[in-house]
Amino acid sequence: YRLEKDGLRRELHDHPAALLLRRPNPLWPRARFFYALTAHMAIGGNAYVEGVGPTGGRKAGTFREMWLKRPDRMTVARRGTE
C-alpha cells in the first residue's frame, strides 16, 4: 500500500513485491507456492524460503524468484558458532 496525501491507502498492484508474490518462481503459481509453504509449516514446524536475484548491477539484492527449502534438510546455525 501507499499512503496518499488525503490519508487513504492505495494498493500497489505493480510493486515488485506484489509481482513476486503473485508469481514466486517460473514453475509454481502463487497458490501452489503458499500451499507448499503452509504444508512445510504444518509438517516440519518451520518453513524456509530462498530468494534468488541478480548479484551485481543496479538491481543487486532484489529478488526475482522465491524457492522453498525442505525444512527437514535445513539446519539453523548462529554466526560465529559451528
Side-chain angles (χ1 to χ4, degrees), residues 22-43:
R22 198 171 300 136
R23 186 70 179 187
N25 62 57
L27 300 179
W28 289 7
R30 176 181 56 187
R32 183 173 178 190
F33 181 84
F34 284 102
Y35 180 84
L37 180 82
T38 304
H40 284 195
M41 291 287 293
I43 296 169

Side-chain angles (χ1 to χ4, degrees), residues 18-34 49-52 63-68:
L19 298 173
L20 182 62
L21 291 172
R22 198 171 300 136
R23 186 70 179 187
N25 62 57
L27 300 179
W28 289 7
R30 176 181 56 187
R32 183 173 178 190
F33 181 84
F34 284 102
V49 179
E50 178 182 11
V52 179
F63 297 138
R64 287 190 291 182
E65 298 176 6
M66 294 188 304
W67 294 91
L68 291 178

